[in-house]
């Protein structure tokens, strides 16, 4: 019972903290700079394992944050928390936010800070109750305000910023498909951008579905050219400053994707000093 009460108290505190940051009327009552922030996960010691990492993935819509965050989640044994998935779960739940979120997603708009913070707070508190000591965030923070709120809630170790040219991002997003039976994610786009004016070429083979899924592929309602371009515009306007926020704190790792998963995954592991870790993980398996 004590554990349940503690989790409930912390959940209430996270929501309260989020509201204080989000409400301009209450800014004057924010806690002093030197006050001890609430920690959803404990501060890591040097002797702790990679399973305690607290990482964030940044990058434009469609760059592959979910793909690489999910792979690292499996490799390191930490939860992959995607705010997009939290929103989709809420949409599917037919809860009080469902209709509001449906309109926001269809128009390619960003979900409000208040909604995202509430969804994420619940997920972090639930993870702590289950014994999670780390996480990999995907799709959050997207604004400076969100980054400031997150900084007040937990320590972030590293922020990985995935980068691709905008024309490649557009092709990738328009090529995304989902199997309406198994839920698998695929991509029918075949990208072959030639090197030009010092910029490297990029080749990404399509991620085709198995035979059983071919006739069951559907396109996400928000994967239209107009909506994708609007998402990219909003990202450039609101989220680029988040990159600078973490760059100034010495936590930003810029990673230009050289191609598809076969080309990018080994180089990303190398950039994260995880080459040997994957070898040991594979041997142990």
């Amino acid at each position: 019972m004590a554990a349940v009460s503690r989790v409930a108290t912390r959940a209430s505190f996270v929501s309260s903290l989020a509201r204080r940051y989000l409400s301009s009327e209450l800014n004057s009552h924010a806690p002093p700079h030197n006050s001890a922030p609430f920690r959803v996960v404990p501060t890591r010691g040097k002797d702790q394992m990679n399973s305690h990492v607290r990482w964030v993935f940044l990058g434009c819509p469609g760059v592959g944050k979910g793909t690489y965050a999910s792979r690292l989640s499996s490799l390191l044994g930490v939860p992959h928390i995607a705010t997009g998935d939290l929103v989709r779960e809420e949409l599917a739940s037919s809860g009080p936010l469902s209709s509001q979120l449906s309109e926001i997603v269809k128009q390619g708009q960003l979900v409000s800070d208040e909604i995202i913070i509430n969804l994420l707070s619940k997920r972090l508190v639930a993870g702590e109750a289950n014994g999670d000591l780390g996480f990999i965030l995907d799709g959050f923070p997207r604004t400076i305000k969100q980054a400031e709120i997150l900084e007040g809630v937990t320590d972030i170790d590293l922020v990985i910023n995935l980068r691709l040219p905008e024309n490649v991002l557009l092709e990738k997003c328009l090529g995304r498909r989902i199997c309406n039976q198994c839920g698998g994610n695929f991509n029918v786009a075949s990208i072959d951008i030639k090197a030009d004016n010092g910029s490297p070429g990029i080749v990404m083979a399509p991620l085709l579905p198995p035979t059983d899924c071919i006739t069951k592929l559907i396109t996400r309602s928000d994967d239209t050219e107009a909506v994708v371009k609007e998402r990219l515009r909003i990202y450039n306007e609101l989220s680029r400053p988040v990159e600078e926020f973490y760059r100034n704190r010495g936590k930003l790792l810029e990673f230009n994707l050289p191609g598809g998963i076969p080309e990018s995954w080994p180089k990303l592991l190398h950039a994260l000093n995880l080459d040997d870790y994957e070898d040991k993980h594979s041997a142990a398996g």
Side-chain angles (χ1 to χ4, degrees):
M1 178 62 71
V4 173
S5 298
R6 186 166 60 252
V7 169
T9 300
R10 290 182 175 183
S12 175
F13 188 93
V14 172
S15 296
S16 174
L17 177 64
R19 284 196 298 272
R20 274 194 290 175
Y21 273 91
L22 287 166
S23 173
S24 58
E25 294 180 0
L26 296 179
N27 277 345
S28 60
H29 301 290
H33 178 72
N34 61 355
S35 63
F38 171 71
R39 304 292 181 196
V40 172
V41 289
T43 302
R44 289 197 299 158
K46 292 182 179 178
D47 59 335
Q48 288 180 294
M49 301 291 288
N50 282 321
S51 59
H52 296 180
V53 301
R54 294 189 293 271
W55 291 353
V56 168
F57 268 85
L58 296 181
C60 290
V63 74
K65 297 185 294 294
T67 297
Y68 294 103
S70 178
R71 281 176 164 248
L72 284 169
S73 168
S74 298
L75 179 66
L76 301 177
V78 296
H80 167 211
I81 304 175
T83 52
D85 290 342
L86 297 180
V87 169
R88 282 186 280 275
E89 288 169 11
E90 188 69 23
L91 281 167
S93 71
S94 300
L97 293 175
S98 183
S99 58
Q100 182 183 354
L101 284 171
S102 180
E103 285 304 310
I104 293 171
V105 171
K106 284 179 182 177
Q107 294 172 22
Q109 301 294 315
L110 285 180
V111 178
S112 72
D113 287 347
E114 187 172 12
I115 293 174
I116 290 295
I117 290 296
N118 284 339
L119 294 176
L120 182 60
S121 296
K122 288 191 292 184
R123 173 61 183 83
L124 289 175
V125 172
E128 185 192 24
N130 290 330
D132 294 343
L133 294 176
F135 53 78
I136 297 176
L137 286 181
D138 157 18
F140 185 93
R142 289 187 174 182
T143 66
I144 289 292
K145 186 178 291 185
Q146 291 179 358
E148 290 171 344
I149 293 170
L150 184 62
E151 191 172 55
V153 172
T154 187
D155 287 326
I156 296 299
D157 305 318
L158 180 68
V159 178
I160 303 155
N161 186 33
L162 300 182
R163 299 166 62 91
L164 273 175
E166 195 160 305
N167 58 330
V168 176
L169 288 167
L170 183 59
E171 283 194 55
K172 278 193 67 189
C173 288
L174 296 181
R176 290 193 293 200
R177 300 292 185 273
I178 302 170
C179 175
N180 64 6
Q181 180 170 304
C182 73
N185 290 282
F186 308 100
N187 202 302
V188 299
S190 181
I191 298 171
D192 187 359
I193 307 295
K194 305 301 182 185
D196 183 44
N197 293 328
S199 298
I202 297 178
V203 175
M204 292 185 174
L207 181 60
L208 299 176
T211 306
D212 291 347
C213 296
I214 289 177
T215 60
K216 304 176 182 68
L217 295 184
I218 59 173
T219 303
R220 278 173 35 174
S221 60
D222 58 334
D223 276 346
T224 65
E225 184 170 352
V227 170
V228 171
K229 286 183 174 180
E230 177 65 5
R231 288 207 304 265
L232 292 175
R233 184 194 67 77
I234 292 174
Y235 182 86
N236 287 326
E237 179 181 324
L238 297 180
S239 297
R240 291 290 184 196
V242 177
E243 298 172 12
E244 193 64 25
F245 179 90
Y246 287 113
R247 186 179 291 112
N248 290 338
R249 284 156 174 74
K251 295 184 176 183
L252 189 71
L253 170 65
E254 303 272 14
F255 186 78
N256 293 304
L257 292 162
I261 295 173
E263 299 82 13
S264 300
W265 177 240
K267 293 184 178 180
L268 179 59
L269 290 179
H270 180 72
L272 295 170
N273 295 316
L274 289 174
D275 316 61
D276 295 339
Y277 192 85
E278 186 183 42
D279 293 339
K280 292 175 183 177
H281 187 266
S282 300

